[in-house]
Each structure stands twice: as structure tokens, then as C-alpha cells.
Amino acid sequence: MTASPRVAVFRPDDQRLETAVELLESLGATPVADPMLAVEPAGSTPRSDADAVVFTSTTGVDLVADAGWTPGDATVCAIGETTADALRDAGFDVDVVPETYTSAGLVEALAGEVEGARVELARSDHGSAVLVDGLFDAGAYVHETVLYRLVRPDDAGDSVELAAAGDLDAALFTSSLTVEHFLEAATERGVREAAIDGLNEAVIGAIGPPTERTAESNGIGVDVVPETADFDRLSRATLARLRSK
């Protein structure tokens, strides 16, 4: 390992990437900023007749706040504290935050409360089916509004070349889609197998079990999954594992 390890980070090219780079630098790493996601707003807002509205990202919160949407009397639910903080910053009261910051955790938190209720899922076009299926099984009438689409930027992929050359010390995957887009970029550049081999020589962090499963189903071994789906904890835990090797 180099004195200042190279760590790939795949956050969207906005404040989240800037914050991630600053954090990694403060932890003594050399960030390889390679945005694997770009946000395309869909121009939609959640339905106004819902009994409960579920938000799964700060991006969705920002979009509805900018559009002037208000929840009315609906119960406002956030998948985790980061999303809840964004809702509060936008002036919304937050009624439900699960103990476990995952789709399954949110289903568990709502399961006894939504029978016969109209539940609106306000999220990206790549939302997990876990929420839809779990809330439907709990007796809710589930409607989904796509607030934005997640696409791979045309110029993404610098980290792919580094991985294929064995020049990455660690990589931080923050969603299943970042894994999929990384592999798409590797395939297009003709280095998929070499890139996977390079990742398997590095320390790989996944922000949660769904991301871990996507990585491992594609032959990428995951070394670190933080107990809480939080980028700060993911970064610190991954660097701690790297330095312990």
C-alpha cells in the first residue's frame, strides 16, 4: 500500500462528491473521483392525496423542495437520517425514520401502520422492489413517482483503467448502480476481467447489503459493509481495513 492510498469514489458530481473528496483527503487518502451517476430530473412531484410519502434520498428531497411541493397532512418518511436531515433542512417535519437505514428497515417500521393506507414512494427510477413488495404485503396501496433518473456520465471510467492496472488501493461503492455502471464502463473499455481482478486485490467497501450482493454476484469480493449505511462510516471503515493489511 502507498503512503497515501488511492481510493476510488463514485458519488454524483455535485456537493456529495466534493464532500467525499474532502473527507478522504482528511483521512490521508488520495481520492480518485470518478462519478458513476448523473441525475436527470423527471419534472414530477409526489401525489397530493397520499396518506404517507416515503423519501429515499437527499436528491429527491431537493427536487421536491425546489418544485414547491408540500406534504399536506401526509406522514413523511425518510429511509435514513441523512435523508431526514435534508427534509428538515427543507422545512418538512419527519414522522418516521427506521432503526435500520434500508428499504427492509423502512418496511419493518411501517408494516403495522399502513394497512389500507395510500403510500407514495418518491424516488429514482432505480428504486428497490423491496419497498413496493413489502408495503403491498403490509396492506398498503402503493404508488411510485419517479422524481429523477440515474444515468452513467459519458466520461465516467478513469477508475476502471486504474483498477485494471492494479493501481487502486480501495474502492467505495455507494449503490448497486455504481457497481453496475463501473462494470459497464469496464466492458466498454475492454478491461472488465482485469478491472475485477484489480478490485479483488484492493479493499472494497459497499455501503449496504444490497450493494454488497450486487458486487459479489459480479465477482467482486466485498471487504467492508458498515453497520449503518453512511458514507463517512464506509470511508473510515474501509481505510481502517486497508491500513490493517
Side-chain angles (χ1 to χ4, degrees):
M1 186 187 74
T2 60
S4 179
R6 280 183 171 177
V7 180
V9 55
F10 308 116
R11 309 226 78 180
D13 193 6
D14 54 25
Q15 184 61 43
R16 285 167 291 183
L17 185 62
E18 294 176 16
T19 301
V21 166
E22 290 172 2
L23 172 63
L24 291 170
E25 288 176 341
S26 75
L27 296 174
T30 298
V32 177
D34 193 6
M36 286 290 170
L37 300 174
V39 174
E40 289 186 350
S44 54
T45 55
R47 290 173 57 169
S48 59
D49 61 348
D51 298 303
V53 182
V54 175
F55 291 95
T56 61
S57 71
T58 59
T59 300
V61 174
D62 292 343
L63 288 171
V64 299
D66 289 345
W69 174 86
T70 59
D73 295 329
T75 297
V76 176
C77 312
I79 199 168
E81 276 299 337
T82 300
T83 304
D85 286 343
L87 284 161
R88 295 184 189 108
D89 289 344
F92 302 129
D93 292 330
V94 179
D95 302 296
V96 177
V97 182
E99 292 185 8
T100 303
Y101 302 162
T102 63
S103 295
L106 191 51
V107 169
E108 184 177 354
L110 292 173
E113 309 294 332
V114 295
E115 185 173 0
R118 293 164 296 182
V119 179
E120 176 82 350
L121 303 184
R123 57 184 188 171
S124 80
D125 63 329
H126 282 83
S128 164
V130 171
L131 267 177
V132 176
D133 295 343
L135 293 172
F136 180 81
D137 290 343
Y141 299 98
V142 183
H143 180 266
E144 187 168 8
T145 294
V146 172
L147 299 177
Y148 59 98
R149 297 175 180 85
L150 293 170
V151 299
R152 178 166 57 92
D154 293 337
D155 57 353
D158 290 347
S159 61
V160 167
E161 303 285 357
L162 291 172
D167 289 335
L168 277 184
D169 296 298
L172 305 174
F173 289 104
T174 49
S175 69
S176 290
L177 201 54
T178 58
V179 177
E180 294 165 5
H181 284 179
F182 178 96
L183 293 174
E184 286 175 9
T187 299
E188 289 176 4
R189 295 174 185 228
V191 295
R192 182 184 175 105
E193 290 186 11
I196 291 174
D197 289 343
L199 289 181
N200 285 328
E201 292 297 319
V203 173
I204 304 303
I207 203 162
T211 305
E212 177 187 24
R213 288 193 292 271
T214 300
E216 295 199 332
S217 70
N218 283 284
I220 301 168
V222 173
D223 303 288
V224 175
V225 182
E227 290 185 7
T228 301
D230 175 82
F231 184 79
D232 186 292
R233 297 188 185 193
L234 172 66
S235 301
R236 294 178 187 277
T238 301
L239 283 169
R241 175 68 64 85
L242 180 60
R243 286 169 173 144
S244 71
K245 290 181 67 175

